[in-house]
Amino acid sequence: MANFLGSNTFVPNFDASGRLVVAFSRNPKDFPINRWITITPVKQIAGFYLRIDPQNAARIIAAKPEDSIWPDGQPAPVGQWNTELLDWRQFSCFRYVSPYAIGRIAVDSADFDVIALHQRQAAQQRMTGRALLALSKLTTPANWPANHYSATASGLIGSGEHAYNGTSIKPNLKKLLNTIAVTINQDTLGVVSTRDLVVVVNPVTARKLSETEEVHGYLKESPFALAQVRGDVESQNGVWGLPNKIYGFDLVVDDTVVVSTPVKDDNSKTIQYALGDDELLVLARPGGLVSPLGPSFSTVTLFAYEEMVVEEKYDEDNRLYRGRVIDTIAIELTAPVSGFLVDNIGA
């Protein structure tokens, strides 16, 4: 508290900002978004990124391999073979803030760090805001190439079939994921493979999948996966009845919860998951959580100008400790061809 006692304007709290970046913005264990998004620090509030489309990954630069032969004694082949205009897109970071205020009596009387508690609550709001921003873009069909979106699972694996009615001998979930993986692999010209992909569902969808005959059979055949579900080994998804990997895909159960109504006297509120029931996303997140600015096959990227910046002051007139957590960010689908959205895997 000493760093802002008596101040009449907001001052940065660098120590608190650093703690929140580590505990929130860079924490994949407690915040699922950090397992499927890429963070790119930027030095300007607006800029350009190179959006990855299939042509940008072209490996063959001539119509036929023999066209690129350069015989000895002959001039080198010239021209522009199969080149496309680079698809530059603009990002603009917006400043988001979660403010808080605590009375001096509460601070002086508490036997714990009340200000730190409010900092963490504000940071939690900002992480929830990040997830909402990203998922809003990811679950909008118009943001996807036509062959990277399906309204139903049956549209990909056959009439009457879906992810919840698969069995050991009719593995519909496996067929669905493999169909999506092949589409992504082809459209990125082999750059993105299963090892780069993350399957994202919410807990309601995860529970439904865990109760299918297909997943029961998968767990029986995979002792390590079964151990994760039982809790014999550490697992992110065991509590939802699913392993961390299924059919070679990393699996993220995104349990980001949103309270979308203000506080009321009767405590009535609307609580829901940020990702809808029965929705399934397959996203590419090659490499680590943080990536430098440049061409990337990560499906979705968060451009961060300011991350979890804490500013505080003491308001002597009102005997209030005031603070705010600031996130200045932009979230963009940097490579839609490396991802896929299925609106309803139960139909």
Side-chain angles (χ1 to χ4, degrees):
M1 292 182 289
N3 64 317
F4 65 96
L5 279 173
S7 64
N8 59 5
T9 188
F10 284 98
V11 297
N13 186 332
F14 297 108
D15 184 52
S17 299
R19 289 197 308 268
L20 293 188
V21 168
V22 172
F24 291 82
S25 184
R26 299 290 195 271
N27 182 354
K29 183 177 180 181
D30 294 333
F31 297 96
I33 185 176
N34 288 335
R35 296 170 61 194
W36 50 261
I37 203 170
T38 294
I39 297 176
T40 296
V42 293
K43 295 181 180 180
Q44 296 185 354
I45 202 167
F48 291 88
Y49 66 93
L50 181 60
R51 180 159 169 165
I52 297 294
D53 285 316
Q55 63 270 21
N56 299 122
R59 299 264 178 86
I60 304 299
I61 59 171
K64 296 180 290 186
E66 55 267 28
D67 288 344
S68 58
I69 294 175
W70 180 10
D72 186 38
Q74 299 294 321
V78 296
Q80 294 181 332
W81 295 337
N82 291 353
T83 57
E84 300 281 349
L85 292 176
L86 297 179
D87 186 11
W88 290 101
R89 300 291 182 97
Q90 186 172 16
F91 70 84
S92 297
C93 295
F94 289 89
R95 185 171 57 198
Y96 301 90
V97 61
S98 290
Y100 53 88
I102 315 107
R104 190 172 72 186
I105 292 176
V107 173
D108 294 343
S109 303
D111 57 1
F112 62 93
D113 193 338
V114 178
I115 294 175
L117 172 64
H118 281 74
Q119 289 172 356
R120 292 193 296 270
Q121 289 177 340
Q124 176 88 39
Q125 290 177 359
R126 296 279 34 92
M127 292 302 294
T128 301
R130 287 184 179 189
L132 281 173
L133 285 170
L135 289 170
S136 175
K137 293 200 170 189
L138 288 167
T139 55
T140 300
N143 290 338
W144 294 95
N147 64 328
H148 286 254
Y149 166 78
S150 181
T152 63
S154 62
L156 297 173
I157 60 177
S159 178
E161 304 297 340
H162 54 78
Y164 301 138
N165 66 359
T167 66
S168 297
I169 59 175
K170 189 185 66 173
N172 284 346
L173 177 61
K174 181 178 182 180
K175 185 176 180 181
L176 176 67
L177 296 179
N178 285 344
T179 300
I180 292 171
V182 168
T183 298
I184 292 171
N185 187 253
Q186 287 181 338
D187 283 357
T188 59
L189 301 184
V191 174
V192 176
S193 63
T194 301
R195 67 177 177 272
D196 302 312
L197 298 176
V198 180
V199 177
V200 186
V201 296
N202 81 3
V204 174
T205 307
R207 282 295 189 192
K208 290 181 180 180
L209 289 171
S210 73
E211 295 166 0
T212 64
E213 291 184 38
E214 179 182 354
V215 171
H216 282 196
Y218 177 84
L219 294 175
K220 289 178 183 178
E221 295 174 4
S222 175
F224 184 70
L226 184 59
Q228 291 179 345
V229 172
R230 281 200 227 161
D232 299 337
V233 296
E234 186 177 359
S235 171
Q236 294 274 1
N237 301 329
V239 66
W240 309 114
L242 293 172
N244 290 346
K245 274 184 174 286
I246 190 161
Y247 297 128
F249 295 81
D250 284 335
L251 178 61
V252 175
V253 180
D254 195 313
D255 60 351
T256 303
V257 173
V258 180
V259 179
S260 57
T261 51
V263 177
K264 297 179 181 179
D265 292 338
D266 60 1
N267 291 323
S268 63
K269 49 187 174 286
T270 301
I271 302 176
Q272 59 191 22
Y273 289 114
L275 181 62
D277 297 353
D278 301 319
E279 289 182 318
L280 180 141
L281 287 161
V282 178
L283 308 174
R285 216 290 292 276
L289 171 61
V290 181
S291 175
L293 186 63
S296 171
F297 274 94
S298 180
T299 308
V300 58
T301 300
L302 183 149
F303 298 98
Y305 179 74
E306 292 180 295
E307 286 189 85
M308 299 295 166
V309 172
V310 180
E311 294 180 344
E312 296 171 318
K313 73 173 182 178
Y314 177 64
D315 179 355
E316 181 65 49
D317 290 343
N318 296 294
R319 296 185 181 181
L320 286 173
Y321 292 93
R322 298 186 185 274
R324 56 197 183 197
V325 174
I326 303 166
D327 228 13
T328 307
I329 60 172
I331 295 178
E332 301 290 345
L333 269 62
T334 42
V337 292
S338 70
F340 205 106
L341 166 65
V342 183
D343 257 339
N344 188 353
I345 64 169

